[in-house]
Amino acid sequence: MKLRRLSIDRMPGIDRPFELADLGQGLNIVVGPNGIGKSRVCAAVRALLWHERGIGAAIEDREFSARALFAHEGDMWSVVRNGSQHAWQRGGVDAMAPILPGERLEGCFFLGLRDLLDDSDRAGRDLAGEIRRQMSGGFDLEAVHRFFREAVRARAGSRENKDLAGAESEIRRAERNQEEVERRERELENLERRASHADRAAKRVIEVEDATSLHTLRGDLSQCQRELDEFPRALGNLDGRESLRLEAIDEELHRKQQEHSAADAGLASSRESIRLSRLDKPIDPGRMETWRERADKLAEQERQLDAARVEQESARELVMQRRRWLGSRTLPAADPELESGFDFGFEDDVELFGFLQEGQQLTTKIEVARERLGLLAAREFSAEDSRQVELLKRGISPLREWLRAPDPDRLMNSRVLGPSPRIAVILGFAVAAIAVALQFTPAGGPASAVGWTAIGLALGLGLGFAIAGILSLARVRVGVGEVDAMDWRSIAERQFPDSLAPPERWSHEGVDARLRQIEEEFSRLDASEKRSRDRLVERGPLEESLSRLEGRLGELDARRNALAERLGLDSLRSDALLLDLAQGLFALRDAAAEARAREARVSALEGDCTTLLEGLAGALVALGESEPSDAASTRAGLHSLEQRDRTLRAAIAETARERGQRERLDSEIERLDEGRAVIFACAEIENQDRLELRRLLEDLPRYGELKSACAELGNRLDRATAQLEAAGASALILRSVAELAEDQAALELQSAGRDELITQIAEIRKDVREAREGHVLEEALAKKVATLEVLRDRREEALAALAGQFLVDGVRQEHEENQMPRVLARARDRFGVFTHHRYELIVSSDAGGSFVAIEEKSGRGLRPEQLSDGTRAQLILAARLAFAEEAEQGADLPIFLDEAMDHSDPERFHAIACSLARMVMNDARQVFYLSNDPTDVERFQNAFAEVGCERLQTIDLGEIRGQGARVDGPGELRVAPLASVPSPNGLDPADYGAAIGVAPLAPREDPGSHSLYYVLRGDLSLLHDLLVARIMTVGQWTNLARAGTDFAKKIGAGGAVGAELEARIALLETFCLAWREGRGREIGRGALERSGAVSDKFLDSLTDIMTELGGDASRLIAELRARKDARLRGYRSKATDDLERFFEEQGYVDDKPILDESEIVERALATPAANRLAPRVVAELVHDWWSLSGGSAPTK
Amino acid sequence: MASFQASRAERAEDGESVDELVDELTIVAIGDVHLGMRPASLPENLDHEGVDPRTLTPEAALSATVDYILDVLRVGVDGPPRGVDAVVFAGDVVESTNARFEALRPLETAVRRLLDAGIPVFAVVGNHDVEALPRLARMIEGFELLGEGGQWQARLIEKVGGPAIELLGWSFPERQVRGSPVDQLLRHPLAPLRAGVPRIGLLHADLDASGGNYAPISSSELDAAGLDAWLLGHIHKPSLPEGRSREGVVPNGYLGSLVGLDPSEVGPRGPWLVRVDGRGDVTTRHLPIAPLRWERFELQVEPDEGPEDLGDRLLAEIVRVGEEISLCADGLAESVDESRQESGISAIRAPRVLGLRPILVGPTLHYEELRQCIASGRWSGLTRSAGSTLVFIDKVLDGLALAHDLETLALGDDPAALMARKLLLLKEPSKARSLLLDSARDALRPLALEPRWRALDQERNARDPLADDSAVAAILTRAGTETLNALLEQRDGASRTGV
């Protein structure tokens, strides 16, 4: 594949299109000065050959546009690339790209100066790696080996060993604690013995103290007793309240005597009351009750008697009234006979009253009949009424005719309305015919009564229809054929009687209304006529009955006269009078009987009253009461008697009570007298010697005090003695005070430290108990076992990884031994030619997979970095060329050497050039050599001439691009003026820092990257000078100062200013280091990704949390372990362990404590730099930096 | 040497009816308790799941054992309570590093409870409780140490009106003993305390270890000692055969730890019920009543099963395993003593907590993903409930293979083929395999001996990770599989890009 033409239209660094045309098939030497675009040519060819080979953002931004023409497989292949658009054509037709080596092999065809100059131990290793891969049949055994090598890293297990050390440390600590507890437990017995001894001594001290106090008590008691004995003995009987008791007795005695006098008076009064009651003894309540009942009965009898007397008078008065009433009618006014017993016979009474009744009934009937007749005769139907009826009849007919006449307006329409008369006729006859047929049908037989009735009814109905139809038919004929409607109405109007009021208007409504009025009037008169006829019929029987009754009334009159005669009456009055008389007689008879009954009752009651009154009067008089005359006086007497009885009873009770009271008072007075006497007796003085008693009582308090003191002392003495005896120390009682003092001193010495011993024993016991009940060591052991388990896993992993390496090495060795690849042979051949066979090329697995050049002369193997630059370049070139041949897979790509041989000496250059010439000649390989040295052209020409190859062509790229080397105009040469640095005049450090736009202080960053502002805040003038010279950072100044530049000297690097600046910079470095301590490196998302412990699922969540925690790895781990954040749910603790391990290994976690400001100041002051600064300046600088770094330390 | 066979004959000659001897003397034998320790590798969130980690400690296991002895084993259906005639500890009752205080209280409590219930308690001293156990024995009257000071001692245990046994014990006199105590017994045999009584040995020793610091003994020595059974302590994996002793075979073996102290102590744990009948036949029964149990199981991965599906299946599988173990516990409960069923007491309980280490095995197309999941501990700590048992995944182990035919891969001559050949080589024993393993061992040894792993060599159960071929082969297989996977990925990646 030969490049024939290359055109570059656009690409970064190429501002003007150019083209390399007519390129040779052999060596093309492209010469031109540096920057002319030789490397761009290589980049353009790369981008044209491999689609994925971009040139950065230029592809996306379409800043790359180039095309090329290749000769390949007998065709011309053109390729155009415009940004990411890439198109091939074969023979002018769009085609797929030709088969090319993989992009990863492109480096084999493009060899730069840097590749050949690489003197690191990696030189040639990538190429060697490729060769080895090739040798391995395409397998990257080195990658597999590398994978295992990483797994067998030396740090594996270090964390576990660290944990193990921690666990063992815990175990040792716990064991030491337990040993200590055990040791102390062993001491326990001794301590308890000592404590017991001290305890006994302490108790003995108390006993000695008690014994000593016993002596004191005895002396006090004797003194007290002596004093007490000087007082009268009787004081012992007194309690000091005797005066008060005497006063109380006197007062009580006085009150009792007063009560006694009052009782005497009461007794006299009650006796007088007895006397005044005039009763010898109380009356028996039963008798009194009987008397009261009898008095009540008497009063009731008297009330009844009074009532009977009133009724008696009323009855007499009624008799007199009845008598007077009768006397005023028929009888003499005062007929003693009648008064005593007027009476009729029974039969007379019946007859009279029967007569009276009959007569009354007749009279009543007659009156009823007459009244009925009167009513029947009251309403007669007159002749006028009859005429009016006739007149109304005559009026009704025309009006009806008028209304029946058809309406002229609707005559034509109304003809079709209603049933057709013809149909009615036909229907009528049809029905009649059916009826007749049924009558004579044989099937009918002897028709039943019902059958006949139905037939008859049907016959009648049929005939009726027929007749009605005929009539209608006739009327219709007349209406239609002879008289019109108007004639009918006119006739009717004319026929209406003149004596009747005509309708208000001869319209249908008016006629209809008038017709109704007349018909109503007619109906009324018609009904009246009918009623008149009915009355006439009824009057006949009534008049006949009246006549009959009046006849009977005549008979009755005859009988009355007979009766009057029989009764001897002059004449009988009217029936009413007779009836009244009869009733009056009956009333008189009843009244007389009633009067007699009342009189008898009065007599009986009067007898009863007299009896009762006499009995009661006797009793009252016998008890000194006056004789009563009636119930009221009897009750008054009884009441008086009751009063006297109550008085007597009360007086008797009072007398008894007063007597008892007086006896009680006598007793109490006597007791009080005795009490008073006792007081004096107790005081052992004469009765009532109150003066002496007072004197005694004045001495009593002191006496009491002494007595109590003696008792107390005695008690204490007894108790102390008893205690000592109980403690078995009774012997101490006998010891003197001095002896006891000696004992006490000795014992106190023995008991010293007792409390401490007890405390110590308690602590030991507590520790032993805690040690027995605890699980501290158990937990530490478990932790150790768990760590060992992990360590075992790590060892297994490491062994497996090493086994993997072992296997890979074995396979590789086996394969390399058996499968020598052509490429290595090719490379070896080329290298031999390049070096005139002074070296042999091998690939050594011992040398990390790199090439090794074996020096023929010495047999010494040299790695690339040990070779001279030229030999190394030859080696790499030989290897590249060999591999390119192997890798191109027939594509036969051109080889680009970009200043690849610049560092070869002429001899080596010549050898390489000859090799290239042979390659061009023998292999028809197209080679591009790009150089800035025009003399290279001659060197190649010589070499090619020597080999006999003529395929060499020189391309002067500077000439091709000469036009583009000129600037377009002055605009391209203009630059923006350098920005001025603000002057610090008048500004404080903070304002000046803001004015110059200083970056925030970041102690995590390299101190050299910090602005000089932070070390020169106190010398803004110097800062300004440095900034004006564009010395912005600490690092810039440090480099200048160390290089001993004139500028640095001018600033004063060698003097005091420089020394102080250097000290400040050193101090800043110290500050940054101290500040970072314990904070670890700040983690970012990339670190999380690299850790391999965070899956995609949790990456975002952890990144968020990490940001919230300020990138602090320790806090992130703590958060993960806390498992409180819902976003971390499901994140496994194993992953947390892995993450923590990663953080530790990568330095994101620092277990050291974070220093605070004062600790940093201490550290800063301890540095040599601080010796060149005043302590105050050091403190100020640290304070400034501490504050500017965010102040207080975060909690870990 | 008083064998039971002889004693039975002698007793028969004395006119004693065999029927009268048909009764049992019951001992509860407890292996290494290691009070003062607590199981490692428990999940952090156990208490969130309603399980107090303190209920899973040796202390809790010992307390549960005493409960079991006092509550369950004392129950009798007919006649008087059967009870336990003695409780014996086979040493290492307490952890040496925590023997001063913390381990004493639970031991004291347990021993006092047993003594208060009238059950004598015997123990021999192990290498871990050289100091603590004698001290406790001095503190508690009735708690008897056998063979104190490294001198064999016999003790007769009798059942009132029933059989008796003679218990022979030897205790560690110091933390390390290089000589064989059984050899000492053989050279200086103890005369029987009573003729014809079966003799049971109680010993803390390192059986069939070629040398060592922990009383190394050999099986042949045990057989030669002429005892009727040996109850051993020291190794935490139970190995005492269960069931009635066979004619002519002296049962011996380790009682094992009372509760699994770490995930390596897989399988059931608990005390042993040792019954000796009147004829001298010894019947042993393991009572797996420990509250915590560790297990491993293999989980066959489907070739196309990715991490998500496998995660779900893992959870289902641990529940299944948990339920299987619960069912097994139920079965044991029925077999241990039918009377327990009648009395309503569940003799054997499923463990409260079951820690599992699933081993993913089988070819997979998702080798790298699954390996990453395993390495990152993605499934570790997951918990589920299986009946009353809380099951958790302690760690998932890698036994994965690639879903490629190694035979086919090995046909080529590229590195992948060479690696496939090596993996095939590791599968079967051969001289080439041995050479490869030796070579690998030499390569790995410096790493294994690096000081950073020194702590692992000082463990109680320390072992050389390169000691046996199978371990080295496992390491190489794992690494080789990983390598081969990486190479195949490179190849596939290259073919995809067309390079």
Side-chain angles (χ1 to χ4, degrees), chain A residues 29-45:
Chain A
I29 305 172
V30 181
V31 294
N34 286 334
I36 199 66
K38 297 191 293 295
S39 297
R40 298 286 86 191
V41 169
C42 294
V45 174

Side-chain angles (χ1 to χ4, degrees), chain A residues 824 827-829 831-832 839-843 851-854 875 878-879:
Chain A
L824 183 57
R828 184 180 293 163
D829 290 346
F831 187 57
Y839 290 95
E840 182 189 1
L841 181 65
I842 64 166
V843 175
F851 288 117
V852 173
I854 306 296
L875 187 155

Side-chain angles (χ1 to χ4, degrees), chain A residues 695-880:
Chain A
R695 277 200 299 274
L696 281 173
L697 289 175
E698 285 172 355
D699 291 339
L700 191 59
R702 177 59 187 158
Y703 178 81
E705 288 173 8
L706 289 170
K707 195 167 184 182
S708 296
C710 283
E712 172 62 19
L713 288 167
N715 286 337
R716 285 171 60 190
L717 196 61
D718 292 343
R719 280 201 303 273
T721 305
Q723 281 177 358
L724 286 171
E725 286 173 351
S730 51
L732 291 174
I733 300 171
L734 304 175
R735 292 177 73 81
S736 67
V737 173
E739 289 170 336
L740 289 170
E742 287 177 12
D743 292 348
Q744 184 173 350
L747 288 168
E748 280 176 348
L749 203 59
Q750 292 172 15
S751 67
R754 169 181 165 273
D755 290 344
E756 288 77 6
L757 284 170
I758 290 172
T759 305
Q760 201 174 347
I761 289 167
E763 285 175 355
I764 291 172
R765 284 184 176 150
K766 174 171 163 285
D767 290 346
V768 169
R769 188 175 62 251
E770 286 178 352
R772 285 170 66 87
E773 294 176 354
H775 296 85
V776 178
L777 195 49
E778 184 181 302
E779 286 172 4
L781 285 169
K783 191 173 175 184
K784 179 185 172 185
V785 171
T787 309
L788 283 170
E789 181 72 17
V790 180
L791 184 63
R792 188 178 296 106
D793 290 347
R794 296 288 168 269
R795 184 174 67 177
E796 285 180 9
E797 289 166 6
L799 285 172
L802 190 58
Q805 282 184 303
F806 166 79
L807 289 171
V808 170
D809 285 342
V811 166
R812 180 164 56 192
Q813 185 178 355
E814 192 176 342
H815 190 266
E816 286 180 357
E817 285 173 358
N818 300 329
Q819 310 289 329
M820 174 62 79
R822 293 186 304 277
V823 65
L824 183 57
R826 237 185 231 125
R828 184 180 293 163
D829 290 346
R830 287 198 185 283
F831 187 57
V833 171
F834 288 172
T835 61
H836 299 288
H837 300 289
R838 289 203 302 270
Y839 290 95
E840 182 189 1
L841 181 65
I842 64 166
V843 175
S844 172
S845 57
D846 294 338
S850 179
F851 288 117
V852 173
I854 306 296
E855 197 175 30
E856 282 293 317
K857 194 181 292 179
S858 64
R860 192 161 56 106
L862 298 173
R863 291 196 299 275
E865 71 272 17
Q866 295 171 317
L867 296 170
S868 66
D869 288 347
T871 307
R872 184 169 63 250
Q874 288 171 333
L875 187 155
I876 294 171
L877 184 58
R880 293 270 187 183

Side-chain angles (χ1 to χ4, degrees), chain B residues 13-56:
Chain B
E13 285 174 8
D14 292 342
E16 200 169 1
S17 163
V18 173
D19 290 336
E20 290 174 0
L21 302 175
V22 179
D23 200 350
E24 290 179 337
L25 188 140
T26 305
I27 297 172
V28 169
I30 299 172
D32 295 34
V33 185
H34 285 277
L35 289 168
M37 293 285 286
R38 69 171 54 172
S41 298
L42 292 176
E44 293 174 355
N45 59 345
L46 262 189
D47 47 353
H48 296 163
E49 301 292 338
V51 176
D52 182 357
R54 290 193 178 281
T55 60
L56 308 176

Side-chain angles (χ1 to χ4, degrees), chain A residues 273-513:
Chain A
S273 296
I274 290 169
R275 190 186 62 77
L276 290 175
S277 71
R278 291 181 287 118
L279 290 172
D280 297 336
K281 58 181 181 182
I283 301 170
D284 179 18
R287 290 181 64 197
M288 187 61 78
E289 183 61 29
T290 304
W291 291 338
R292 271 196 296 275
E293 287 174 358
R294 287 180 181 174
D296 292 342
K297 189 174 180 183
L298 177 60
E300 178 61 24
Q301 295 281 25
E302 284 181 349
R303 188 185 62 76
Q304 291 178 0
L305 182 59
D306 289 345
R309 281 175 177 154
V310 170
E311 288 171 354
Q312 182 185 29
E313 283 304 315
S314 298
R316 284 183 175 174
E317 182 61 27
L318 187 62
V319 169
M320 291 307 292
Q321 282 177 357
R322 297 284 186 257
R323 188 178 296 281
R324 279 195 297 277
W325 186 82
L326 286 173
S328 67
R329 281 169 173 75
T330 59
L331 299 175
D335 186 351
E337 196 173 333
L338 274 175
E339 192 174 349
S340 60
F342 176 77
D343 200 3
F344 292 111
F346 180 73
E347 291 178 355
D348 295 338
D349 291 345
V350 171
E351 186 178 359
L352 178 59
F353 282 100
F355 168 73
L356 290 174
Q357 272 185 328
E358 189 178 353
Q360 189 66 34
Q361 287 172 352
L362 280 174
T363 306
T364 302
K365 288 180 180 175
I366 289 168
E367 286 176 354
V368 168
R370 284 175 178 163
E371 187 178 359
R372 182 63 182 165
L373 284 172
L375 287 172
L376 292 174
R379 296 292 304 262
E380 293 291 339
F381 193 74
S382 62
E384 181 60 26
D385 292 337
S386 298
R387 281 193 297 276
Q388 184 65 21
V389 168
E390 288 302 318
L391 183 59
L392 291 172
K393 279 184 180 175
R394 283 194 291 114
I396 288 169
S397 180
L399 288 177
R400 286 180 177 168
E401 289 298 328
W402 193 93
L403 287 172
R404 275 197 295 269
D407 189 343
D409 298 335
R410 291 183 293 179
L411 183 61
M412 293 307 292
N413 295 333
S414 66
R415 281 179 187 166
V416 296
L417 298 175
S420 169
R422 293 177 194 276
I423 294 171
V425 171
I426 294 167
L427 185 63
F429 279 117
V431 172
I434 292 167
V436 172
L438 286 172
Q439 187 179 7
F440 294 104
T441 181
S448 65
V450 176
W452 284 111
T453 305
I455 292 168
L457 187 62
L459 186 61
L461 194 61
L463 291 174
F465 277 134
I467 292 166
I470 292 168
L471 289 176
S472 299
L473 197 59
R475 191 170 64 245
V476 168
R477 282 200 190 102
V478 169
V480 173
E482 297 178 5
V483 183
D484 62 11
M486 291 303 295
D487 292 339
W488 281 98
R489 289 196 170 178
S490 299
I491 293 167
E493 287 172 9
R494 283 194 299 273
Q495 286 176 350
F496 192 76
D498 296 333
S499 52
L500 281 175
E504 289 182 358
R505 196 160 51 88
W506 284 100
S507 63
H508 187 274
E509 289 78 13
V511 171
D512 186 59

Side-chain angles (χ1 to χ4, degrees), chain B residues 24-30 73 88 165 199-201 228-232 238-246 249-255 270-277 280-288 332 335-337 348:
Chain B
E24 290 179 337
L25 188 140
T26 305
I27 297 172
V28 169
I30 299 172
L73 295 180
V88 299
I165 63 163
R199 308 182 89 189
I200 306 288
D228 295 286
W230 284 94
L231 308 176
L232 303 179
S239 61
L240 188 65
E242 278 196 90
R244 183 177 291 272
S245 58
R246 287 182 290 128
V249 176
V250 176
N252 72 68
Y254 284 105
L255 302 170
W272 287 76
L273 200 61
V274 179
R275 287 178 172 151
V276 184
D277 63 19
D281 289 339
V282 177
T283 305
T284 58
R285 175 73 72 179
H286 196 194
L287 302 173
L332 279 172
S335 66
V336 165
D337 194 338
I348 305 296

Side-chain angles (χ1 to χ4, degrees), chain A residues 655-685:
Chain A
T655 302
R657 189 167 60 250
E658 292 298 342
R659 276 182 185 152
Q661 175 75 356
R662 198 169 59 179
E663 287 170 3
R664 185 180 58 78
L665 288 169
D666 287 344
S667 170
E668 288 180 357
I669 288 167
E670 186 179 354
R671 182 179 55 77
L672 290 169
D673 282 340
E674 287 172 359
R676 188 163 55 188
V678 165
I679 290 171
F680 287 102
C682 285
E684 297 178 358
I685 56 175

